Amino acid sequence: MAKARSLFYCTDCGNEYLKWQGKCPACGAWNTIVEQPVVDTKKKAAVSAAAGLGAHHPRPIAEVEAVDELRFNTGMKELDRVLGGGAVKGSLVLVGGAPGIGKSTLMLQICDHLCRFCNVLYVSGEESERQIKLRARRLNIREEGLYLFSETNLEDIVSTVQTERPDILIVDSIQTIYSGDASASPGSVAQVKECTMTLMRLAKGMGVTVFVVGHINKEGSLAGPKVLEHMVDCVLHFEGEEHNSYRILRAAKNRFGATNEIGVFEMGDQGLTEVPNPSEAMLSGRPENMPGSCVTCVMEGVRPVLAEVQALLSPSGYGNSRRTSNGFDYNRAMMMLAVLEKRGGLALSNCDFYVNVIGGLTLDEPAADLALIVALASSFRDKPVPFDLAAIGEVGLTGELRSVNAVNQRLSEIRRLGFSKCLIPARSSGKLAVPAGLDLIRVSNIREAIAVLV
Ligand code: TYD
Ligand code: MG
């Protein structure tokens, strides 16, 4: 028998190496290379045969049937939106998130709708069937058509799917499932990779739609980590803050749709409820007449969403100042700080600097620049931003303001939420359709913008 050879993987980028190294040559990360035993390829072939995939041959493209993918609704509009208009039959969706964020709850809640028209097999390696039943009863989940299976062995799961032939398979979570053919422990890179690959073949071979739950470890990558992302059809991240009931679902990858949509949920006693109007949710509890807060409007996919940017500047007590940014890109925030100091004429260099975006949103659009500048200046001067004022605009390094896309959609969302003034770049491209009741304050640089502070 051939001696099993060891291989090393980078847990960040998934590259494989023959020997251990301190730094991954491919992605440059330190201490991310771990050892994994190699899986016997004969056994691998047996697993893929068991998963229902026969031999394949290359086919001329003209002979390949071009049927549109079959989509079905999951019963949760916010989830359907992130999936690109419903789940695709025969696809594999990975739902990742920190432990306790509500992944199992989301999966169980979609069963309520899915069970109406198909059979769902819910495999759990974390909870007993009784535990799931109790939760399902508490969440009022329809029972006919839903099958529970508490199992962690991959081969048993595959053979159950082959005999029971469910339309939808939910695996919760991938880190608890193990294949008897890979000798590594459950949750390791080799196991997670192997199990996902087999489930992927099962999805494609039998046309089963598979939802796989994956825990995100504290470094923020899916355990067994980025190695899974390239294999699966769709990667969803379920995010939220510990002390906040809002949860945001976003697509990191989607082979069947765009990745810029978000879904917003709220966790309550009755499980997750959809938040069809995220702007209201993000602005709830906004302080009145407090310095350091400014509202902006960002585009999440095709949906405009209002966000509150908060900034706090305080003189640093010691030589070196502290700078943190939460929900706003750190480098961009630093750039705004420098622009405000140099072009806005505020002496900020001896200040501690904290930026926070309320509600767990992550702003990655330049359109939010102006709101950050205004919030920073407001905190520095200790003067509140008018409560009915919002700001949109990209800020350049010379302090000039640049126009942003989808201005009209943003303006109407700003007006809909009751704002009556909006700072916008003086040179906005395209024809502006200003909603009634909204006054535009056109500014061409940041000095003019911070002059609105009363
Ligand atoms: P869960 O779905 O088990 O998280 P995950 O599968 O991502 O680890 O959700 C667990 C958390 O959600 C737990 O802290 C309790 C909370 N929760 C509610 O607040 N209300 C509910 O109705 C349910 C089912 C869970
Ligand atoms: Mg769970």
Side-chain angles (χ1 to χ4, degrees):
M1 203 180 95
K3 191 170 165 286
R5 203 165 42 101
S6 284
L7 252 193
F8 295 85
Y9 290 85
C10 169
T11 52
D12 259 16
C13 65
N15 260 318
E16 297 179 353
Y17 303 99
L18 282 174
K19 60 180 177 53
W20 187 85
Q21 307 172 60
K23 182 183 180 187
C24 172
C27 67
W30 286 92
N31 288 333
T32 53
I33 295 183
V34 294
E35 181 179 359
Q36 297 295 340
V38 172
V39 185
D40 192 332
T41 43
K42 276 190 198 142
K43 283 185 183 168
K44 244 183 185 173
V47 176
S48 67
L53 271 192
H56 270 309
H57 306 287
R59 279 197 287 168
I61 187 166
E63 285 177 18
V64 179
E65 319 76 56
V67 275
D68 280 346
E69 63 261 22
L70 264 175
R71 284 190 187 261
F72 55 89
N73 289 337
T74 61
M76 287 217 150
K77 287 205 181 67
E78 295 290 303
L79 175 61
D80 289 341
R81 176 208 314 280
V82 178
L83 288 170
V88 174
K89 187 174 183 305
S91 67
L92 190 143
V93 178
L94 178 68
V95 182
I101 202 79
K103 303 179 293 299
S104 308
T105 310
L106 179 68
M107 288 297 109
L108 203 52
Q109 281 187 253
I110 61 172
C111 291
D112 182 55
H113 176 78
L114 296 175
C115 291
R116 286 171 205 221
F117 55 92
C118 56
N119 287 335
V120 183
L121 177 62
Y122 187 108
V123 177
S124 179
E126 300 192 340
E127 290 161 300
S128 67
E129 283 143 21
R130 200 178 60 86
Q131 276 176 306
I132 305 171
K133 161 95 186 180
L134 287 177
R135 181 189 295 207
R137 189 182 283 168
R138 208 158 53 78
L139 294 174
N140 234 337
I141 308 293
R142 192 180 312 265
E143 299 198 335
E144 60 269 41
L146 177 57
Y147 296 82
L148 303 181
F149 190 31
S150 196
E151 179 59 67
T152 52
N153 183 287
L154 180 71
E155 286 72 26
D156 284 352
I157 296 170
V158 169
S159 64
T160 307
V161 171
Q162 280 165 338
T163 49
E164 302 287 330
R165 305 196 83 81
D167 304 289
I168 290 161
L169 171 70
I170 296 173
V171 178
D172 186 5
S173 67
I174 192 71
Q175 278 95 358
T176 54
I177 308 295
Y178 73 96
S179 160
D181 292 320
S183 49
S185 56
S188 63
V189 178
Q191 281 285 8
V192 166
K193 226 173 147 179
E194 180 67 24
C195 295
T196 310
M197 202 48 131
T198 305
L199 291 173
M200 189 75 187
R201 291 193 202 107
L202 200 62
K204 305 289 166 211
M206 293 179 59
V208 190
T209 309
V210 185
F211 289 90
V212 175
V213 169
H215 292 291
I216 287 186
N217 56 16
K218 60 180 184 308
E219 285 87 36
S221 51
L222 277 179
K226 293 244 183 230
V227 278
L228 294 189
E229 295 198 353
H230 72 272
M231 290 184 200
V232 304
D233 293 314
C234 186
V235 181
L236 307 183
H237 286 293
F238 207 27
E239 301 165 356
E241 284 167 20
E242 224 173 303
H243 306 292
N244 188 331
S245 57
Y246 292 114
R247 302 280 182 269
I248 293 179
L249 188 68
R250 63 178 86 238
K253 164 182 176 180
N254 190 355
R255 285 189 182 145
F256 307 106
T259 53
N260 50 5
E261 295 286 351
I262 61 164
V264 185
F265 298 88
E266 185 172 9
M267 177 68 90
D269 301 341
Q270 293 300 308
L272 293 160
T273 40
E274 300 178 74
V275 179
N277 198 340
S279 297
E280 260 167 40
M282 298 302 153
L283 295 189
S284 64
R286 191 159 66 97
E288 229 168 301
N289 288 327
M290 288 303 286
S293 148
C294 185
V295 171
T296 187
C297 183
V298 289
M299 298 300 292
E300 295 287 356
V302 294
R303 234 183 349 175
V305 175
L306 296 198
E308 181 189 347
V309 182
Q310 291 194 339
L312 180 67
L313 287 168
S314 64
S316 19
Y318 305 97
N320 42 4
S321 41
R322 260 185 81 81
R323 290 166 177 195
T324 62
S325 170
N326 183 11
F328 202 102
D329 179 66
Y330 180 80
N331 291 328
R332 193 135 193 119
M334 288 303 120
M335 194 170 108
M336 289 305 120
L337 191 66
V339 172
L340 187 59
E341 169 142 30
K342 185 87 179 164
R343 309 290 168 207
L346 306 186
L348 306 170
S349 51
N350 291 325
C351 287
D352 284 346
F353 163 89
Y354 306 92
V355 171
N356 185 31
V357 178
I358 302 294
L361 275 184
T362 310
L363 307 188
D364 48 10
E365 248 195 302
D369 290 353
L370 184 58
L372 178 59
I373 290 279
V374 174
L376 281 169
S378 154
S379 172
F380 183 77
R381 293 196 173 153
D382 222 14
K383 287 185 176 162
V385 179
F387 194 67
D388 58 349
L389 178 122
I392 48 177
E394 177 178 354
V395 175
L397 285 184
T398 65
E400 89 280 15
L401 290 183
R402 303 180 158 246
S403 66
V404 297
N405 63 344
V407 183
N408 291 339
Q409 268 168 287
R410 296 181 207 250
L411 291 180
S412 61
E413 180 73 359
I414 286 170
R415 180 62 200 140
R416 195 176 68 79
L417 271 287
F419 288 81
S420 53
K421 289 180 223 145
C422 184
L423 278 177
I424 66 159
R427 284 184 300 268
S428 276
S429 55
K431 193 170 177 326
L432 283 185
V434 187
L438 186 69
D439 284 338
L440 294 189
I441 307 174
R442 293 163 182 269
V443 285
S444 51
N445 56 47
I446 59 169
R447 270 183 192 267
E448 290 175 26
I450 58 185
V452 299
L453 295 172
V454 279

